[in-house]
Amino acid sequence: MTDGEDSGTEEERAEAQRAQEQRDAAAALKGEDTGLVSLDGEMPANVIVVPLEETVLFPGMTVPVVYPPGPVREAVDFAAGQGSFVAFVPRRTPREIDAETPKEAIFNPDELLPVGVLARILKSLNMPGGNRSYFLACIQRLVVARYLRTQPYLIARVSYPVDRVPDDKEFQALWRAAKASLAELLKEIPGLPEGFSIAAANLEGPAQLTDFVAAHLDLRREERIELLQTVDLPRRLRQVTEALNRELELARLAGKIREEIRAKIEKSQREYYLREQIKAIRKELGEEVDQKELALKELADRIEQRGLPEAAAKRARDELRRLEILSPESPEYNVVRSYLEWMTELPWAAETEDVTDLPRARAVLDEDHYGLQEVKERIVEFLAVRKLRPDQKGAILCFSGPPGVGKTSLGQSIARALGRKFFRFSLGGMRDEAEIKGHRRTYIGAMPGKILQGLRTVGVRNPVFMLDEIDKLGQDWRGDPSSAMLEVLDPAQNANFLDHYVDVPFDLSRVMFICTANIKTQIPAPLLDRMEVIELPGYILEEKVQIARRYLFPRQRDAHGLSKQQLVFQPAVYPRIIDGWTREAGVRELERRIGRIARKVAARVAAEEIQRATIAAGQLETYLGPRQFFADELRRALRPGVVVGLAWTPVGGEIMFIESTRMPGRGNFKVTGQLGEVMSESAQLALSFVRRHGAEFEIEPEVFEKSDLHVHFPAGATPKDGPSAGIAITTALVSLLGWKKGRKIRPRLAMTGEMTLRGEVLPVGGIREKCLAAKRAGVREVIVPRENRRNVLEIPKHIVRGLRFHYAATYDDVLKVAF
């Protein structure tokens, strides 16, 4: 036998095997090998199964499918020859099918869902490229009972679930809701084919509706599979209704967006059409006006009407002529036009008339602020000078004081008393002098500095201009704005203030500048020299009580929506809050505490727990929590080695306990409390003075050799420095080392002053703030240097009432009072 004959025999055997497999498959479809028969004449009991990858088919669909040559197409062709029925079952997880995919992997029953759809092949067409298209009519949902064969095709025994329609009101209501939602959805979707709406309107029942929606609604594959597998009709109808309502909301939102876009487009087209009509009408009437010419004419009129000085007017006219030859499309055109708009909007001549009624001005200041008599007197003096000499140049004041004493609000009151406009901006953290003097026009986005911007905002050349936080101006490699402020705040120069952007002098002499600062010493000396500094000290208890009663309480009560009847404070409440819950020179924390009480009362009133609340001093802990500060620190006698000193801080004065102790040792001396170099030197100086005069203080010499001394300043986390604790440290050491002789410090005594090695007491600063701190703490006697007597006399009498002052020129004067 030849090789050819052998080969032909093999081919014949393969063909015979395929023919036998197809006969077996046909027998399986007819039930001959299983004893099964068709359910009826239309739907078979056994059917060929074709996997679906991405697509999910539903009963009632009529769709075309296209298959290339391969096992799936062979299965469909075989089904077409055996009665035209095919079961399309979705794969659990879609996979890529190509010519290399094994047939066993394509027809793997384990990868298929148990539910599919029975379809009839209506027609098949050969297409270019070797593909074949099948036109399918999906008939019925089916459930796979078991698979009979996997080769050569996948054949399954199937059943056909019956959609049972419940006869209850809930199902009928759900059916009506689904029909209504579908009808609304079809209205919201534009451009649907007419046949689609007709098909939706002729759905015969709930089952057809669920399958129609599942087939045509834009759902995820997981949702489609869930609907296909849901055999229970009421449950499937509910799922479809939820999907319809969700899609309806999205369709309505999309419709709204389409309408908005369409309206904008129509409006734009309409406006364009109307403008073109107006142009045509004006052209016919000879009234057409060029927009550039209109802008040029407007700028020219403003140059003539705004009262520009001659130099500024000349510059503006030159720029206007330059603008005339520029094209509106040129970038330079907008730069020049912006410059001219700034030039014509600055208040070169406009100003408000000052109110020179002195009694009225004083009444306004008294109405807005309690106390601060020195500041009020200075404002009244300024008004008096303006009344006698109207051409007086603008004043430059600097309010210096701790936070919360009313520096910024005082500026607003001054503007109201003068009848002037008010403008404020903060200098804190500013590091670029261009913020003050503007940018040159060569920079992109250039504009004038804050000074001219503020004048443009208020529209007059003589406002009250508040420069807040001038002590916090930055200074680094990027610039020094404090130097730029020298020209602004110098009455001899600011009449010709030159902003880099405007580049012509502007008169600032009519502006009343008011600066504020917390720490006067942080203001650069040249800048400080140009201002009249007015110190605003902290408030004493009586002043805080009046401020709280007159201003803070009404403001917080109104801010929290309470009436005068709903919240009442008894008079004793204010001093109790000040003593027990605040430690400050100003009143900000006091206002926050009052606001906290008002907030809690407002919550109870809103909840209808109470109708009104009268707050007594004994109820404060209920609203504010436990008392935080106690005023009895100085009531008990101080033990030897402890002295009360007075310190100045940026937020006002404070009392400061200075503690000293000794222990057996070798003559070491230690100072703690996060001290600066000056204060550490003061402690060393005090020790040297005490050792030098030990005999006078009745101190045994061996104490310094056999003992270690330690001086501590409590509040160790707070930095401390300065020489003003000299006499206090000396007194603490004398008290400690002379304990056996009974050297105790007089109670309720505080002291401040610098010591020298010769025992002289030198003057110190911050006397006013220190006296306020002493009075707040309950001090009754104060030792101050004799040269500070003039500073004490300058303090208003009501502030130092209750304090007894002792003036010391040498340490002997201190000893006479301290022990």
Side-chain angles (χ1 to χ4, degrees):
M1 183 181 292
T2 64
D3 291 340
E5 290 175 337
D6 226 10
S7 173
T9 304
E10 291 296 329
E11 290 179 358
E12 289 175 358
R13 289 175 181 173
E15 183 63 31
Q17 183 178 355
R18 281 197 297 272
Q20 183 59 43
E21 287 178 350
Q22 289 188 349
R23 284 193 295 273
D24 292 342
L29 286 174
K30 296 177 181 178
E32 293 176 0
D33 61 345
T34 60
L36 299 174
V37 295
S38 299
L39 294 178
D40 54 41
E42 287 295 327
M43 294 183 293
N46 302 337
V47 65
I48 288 183
V49 175
V50 174
L52 290 174
E53 303 304 332
E54 292 288 347
T55 309
V56 180
L57 299 180
F58 288 89
M61 296 178 65
T62 305
V63 293
V65 294
V66 179
Y67 289 111
V72 176
R73 175 168 149 185
E74 290 177 3
V76 176
D77 285 341
F78 181 77
Q82 299 294 324
S84 301
F85 287 107
V86 184
F88 288 96
V89 177
R91 197 183 299 275
R92 298 181 188 274
T93 302
R95 63 186 303 171
E96 293 289 336
I97 302 296
D98 53 29
E100 302 298 327
T101 305
K103 186 175 180 181
E104 294 77 10
I106 297 175
F107 296 112
N108 185 359
D110 296 334
E111 295 184 1
L112 303 183
L113 292 170
V115 179
V117 64
L118 180 69
R120 183 189 292 273
I121 303 172
L122 302 179
K123 186 187 296 184
S124 64
L125 296 172
N126 293 322
M127 301 182 67
N131 295 337
R132 183 172 296 168
S133 173
Y134 300 90
F135 199 64
L136 307 175
C138 299
I139 302 171
Q140 176 68 34
R141 181 180 278 99
L142 59 83
V143 177
V144 176
R146 66 179 184 276
Y147 286 95
L148 306 176
R149 298 182 65 86
T150 58
Q151 295 295 334
Y153 311 114
L154 201 58
I155 300 176
R157 169 67 173 170
V158 298
S159 62
Y160 302 97
V162 179
D163 292 320
R164 303 188 182 279
V165 179
D167 187 15
D168 58 64
K169 294 182 179 179
E170 181 180 356
F171 182 82
Q172 292 299 323
L174 188 61
W175 162 230
R176 291 183 182 181
K179 287 196 295 184
S181 297
L182 178 60
E184 289 292 325
L185 181 60
L186 295 178
K187 292 179 183 177
E188 293 291 338
I189 301 176
L192 284 176
E194 184 179 355
F196 189 86
S197 300
I198 294 174
N202 286 279
L203 295 172
E204 296 180 357
Q208 289 82 353
L209 183 139
T210 60
D211 292 336
F212 180 84
V213 171
H216 295 95
L217 212 60
D218 186 15
L219 302 177
R220 292 180 293 109
R221 184 176 187 270
E222 292 77 9
E223 292 181 274
R224 292 178 183 271
I225 288 175
E226 184 178 1
L227 288 171
L228 180 65
Q229 294 186 107
T230 304
V231 177
D232 182 59
L233 180 58
R235 180 183 169 194
R236 191 163 79 237
L237 185 60
R238 184 175 296 277
Q239 293 174 346
V240 165
T241 305
E242 292 175 358
L244 280 171
N245 290 332
R246 183 177 68 242
E247 291 297 320
L248 181 58
E249 290 298 322
L250 292 175
R252 285 172 175 168
L253 181 58
K256 181 181 178 182
I257 295 172
R258 284 196 305 272
E259 284 298 317
E260 290 177 354
I261 295 174
R262 184 182 61 80
K264 288 181 180 178
I265 294 175
E266 288 181 354
K267 181 182 178 182
S268 176
Q269 291 176 341
R270 182 171 175 271
E271 289 177 354
Y272 175 78
Y273 178 69
L274 291 175
R275 288 195 189 98
E276 292 300 318
Q277 281 187 324
I278 292 173
K279 286 182 181 179
I281 293 171
R282 285 180 173 172
K283 187 173 182 180
E284 289 295 327
L285 295 175
E287 298 177 357
E288 186 176 9
V289 179
D290 184 81
Q291 293 298 318
K292 178 183 175 181
E293 292 180 2
L294 189 63
L296 293 173
K297 183 178 184 305
E298 182 181 353
L299 288 171
D301 292 341
R302 286 161 62 176
I303 292 172
E304 299 302 325
Q305 296 169 4
R306 296 302 173 89
L308 276 67
E310 185 56 36
K314 182 178 182 301
R315 171 64 66 85
R317 294 190 190 100
D318 292 343
E319 294 293 332
L320 187 62
R321 284 191 291 271
R322 183 181 172 200
L323 191 65
E324 290 174 354
I325 63 175
L326 290 173
S327 168
E329 287 76 23
S330 169
E332 189 69 14
Y333 178 87
N334 289 324
V335 173
V336 177
R337 180 170 177 176
S338 296
Y339 174 78
L340 286 172
E341 288 175 349
W342 269 103
M343 288 285 286
T344 55
E345 289 177 4
L346 288 174
W348 299 94
E351 62 180 38
T352 54
E353 185 177 353
D354 285 344
V355 176
T356 55
D357 186 351
L358 302 185
R360 177 188 174 278
R362 186 181 292 276
V364 169
L365 294 172
D366 289 337
E367 179 184 342
D368 291 348
H369 290 81
Y370 181 82
L372 305 177
Q373 296 304 321
E374 181 182 350
V375 182
K376 295 176 182 178
E377 288 296 332
R378 178 63 188 86
I379 301 306
V380 173
E381 291 168 3
F382 171 80
L383 289 176
V385 174
R386 288 285 295 170
K387 184 175 183 179
L388 297 177
R389 187 175 178 181
D391 60 344
Q392 175 73 16
K393 292 185 179 295
I396 298 173
L397 305 179
C398 179
F399 296 154
S400 175
V405 296
K407 299 184 294 294
T408 303
S409 60
L410 187 59
Q412 297 173 332
S413 297
I414 291 171
R416 194 161 76 90
L418 292 171
R420 291 190 178 192
K421 298 287 186 68
F422 178 79
F423 185 83
R424 169 198 168 273
F425 79 93
S426 177
L427 298 172
M430 188 178 292
R431 290 182 171 85
D432 187 359
E433 64 269 16
E435 293 282 344
I436 305 297
K437 302 198 67 173
H439 301 81
R440 299 191 184 278
R441 282 192 288 159
T442 53
Y443 293 95
I444 296 176
M447 60 191 310
K450 291 287 188 181
I451 304 298
L452 293 191
Q453 288 182 38
L455 293 176
R456 180 192 184 188
T457 300
V458 297
V460 292
R461 64 172 182 167
N462 66 334
V464 172
F465 210 103
M466 174 157 281
L467 305 173
D468 227 351
E469 311 292 353
I470 197 169
D471 57 327
K472 297 177 180 61
L473 273 175
Q475 180 178 351
D476 56 18
W477 58 270
R478 286 170 286 186
D480 181 11
S482 63
S483 299
M485 293 299 298
L486 294 176
E487 182 182 0
V488 176
L489 299 180
D490 190 346
Q493 300 182 46
N494 63 13
N496 294 299
F497 172 70
L498 188 65
D499 185 277
H500 291 154
Y501 181 84
V502 175
D503 204 25
V504 290
F506 190 94
D507 185 7
L508 297 180
S509 63
R510 312 287 291 180
V511 180
M512 182 177 184
F513 287 102
I514 298 178
C515 306
T516 69
N518 296 131
I519 307 174
K520 182 177 66 174
T521 55
Q522 292 185 0
I523 304 175
L527 194 59
L528 186 64
D529 184 60
R530 285 161 167 77
M531 300 182 289
E532 178 181 347
V533 180
I534 298 178
E535 301 280 354
L536 273 70
Y539 296 111
I540 62 174
L541 175 64
E542 292 78 6
E543 291 177 331
K544 289 184 178 182
V545 169
Q546 293 297 325
I547 292 170
R549 183 178 63 84
R550 298 185 184 188
Y551 306 105
L552 306 184
F553 172 68
R555 184 161 64 207
Q556 288 298 317
R557 182 188 61 206
D558 295 342
H560 291 85
L562 298 171
S563 65
K564 293 181 179 180
Q565 292 75 29
Q566 289 175 316
L567 180 60
V568 178
F569 274 17
Q570 292 184 355
V573 167
Y574 301 109
R576 181 67 63 87
I577 296 176
I578 295 167
D579 282 340
W581 282 271
T582 66
R583 277 290 186 271
E584 57 178 344
V587 292
R588 283 183 181 157
E589 184 62 25
L590 175 58
E591 183 169 11
R592 282 192 283 267
R593 297 294 178 176
I594 295 174
R596 183 175 179 180
I597 297 174
R599 186 166 58 250
K600 290 183 178 295
V601 171
R604 298 184 64 190
V605 171
E608 298 183 355
E609 296 179 10
I610 57 174
Q611 295 182 349
R612 63 191 304 272
T614 301
I615 309 300
Q619 300 174 283
L620 288 178
E621 291 196 0
T622 304
Y623 291 94
L624 300 178
R627 182 170 180 167
Q628 298 180 3
F629 304 102
F630 296 89
D632 60 350
E633 297 178 22
L634 300 178
R635 292 178 183 173
R636 60 184 182 274
L638 298 176
R639 66 176 180 83
V642 180
V643 176
V644 178
L646 295 174
W648 178 91
T649 70
V651 295
E654 291 289 343
I655 66 167
M656 178 173 57
F657 288 91
I658 300 171
E659 303 173 345
S660 61
T661 187
R662 71 172 181 174
M663 60 214 80
R666 299 180 180 179
N668 296 322
F669 183 63
K670 186 176 183 179
V671 183
T672 56
Q674 198 173 349
L675 308 183
E677 185 177 349
V678 175
M679 187 170 279
S680 298
E681 290 176 353
S682 296
Q684 293 288 344
L685 186 150
L687 177 63
S688 298
F689 180 82
V690 172
R691 293 188 66 174
R692 170 66 180 81
H693 299 276
E696 301 174 23
F697 304 139
E698 302 177 5
I699 302 173
E700 301 296 334
E702 59 269 17
V703 167
F704 299 102
E705 299 174 359
K706 299 180 180 180
S707 301
D708 289 342
L709 301 179
H710 186 178
V711 177
H712 177 64
F713 294 76
T718 305
K720 310 169 189 70
D721 202 6
S724 62
I727 64 172
I729 300 172
T730 304
T731 305
L733 291 174
V734 173
S735 171
L736 173 72
L737 302 177
W739 166 240
K740 292 182 179 180
K741 304 296 182 180
R743 295 187 181 277
K744 297 183 180 180
I745 304 299
R746 181 180 297 182
R748 293 184 178 273
L749 172 72
M751 60 187 71
T752 182
E754 181 181 356
M755 273 280 293
T756 69
L757 276 173
R758 294 176 297 172
E760 296 177 352
V761 180
L762 302 182
V764 293
I767 294 296
R768 184 171 187 164
E769 289 76 10
K770 293 176 181 179
C771 292
L772 279 170
K775 186 169 183 179
R776 283 200 304 268
V779 171
R780 293 177 181 171
E781 298 181 75
V782 181
I783 301 176
V784 297
R786 181 174 294 174
E787 293 185 29
N788 285 122
R789 182 186 183 97
R790 55 185 176 84
N791 302 110
V792 175
L793 296 177
E794 291 175 356
I795 303 174
K797 299 296 182 184
H798 69 279
I799 293 180
V800 297
R801 189 178 296 121
L803 290 178
R804 182 182 178 187
F805 289 91
H806 302 279
Y807 301 100
T810 65
Y811 189 71
D812 290 339
D813 299 327
V814 177
L815 281 178
K816 294 175 184 177
V817 178
F819 297 100

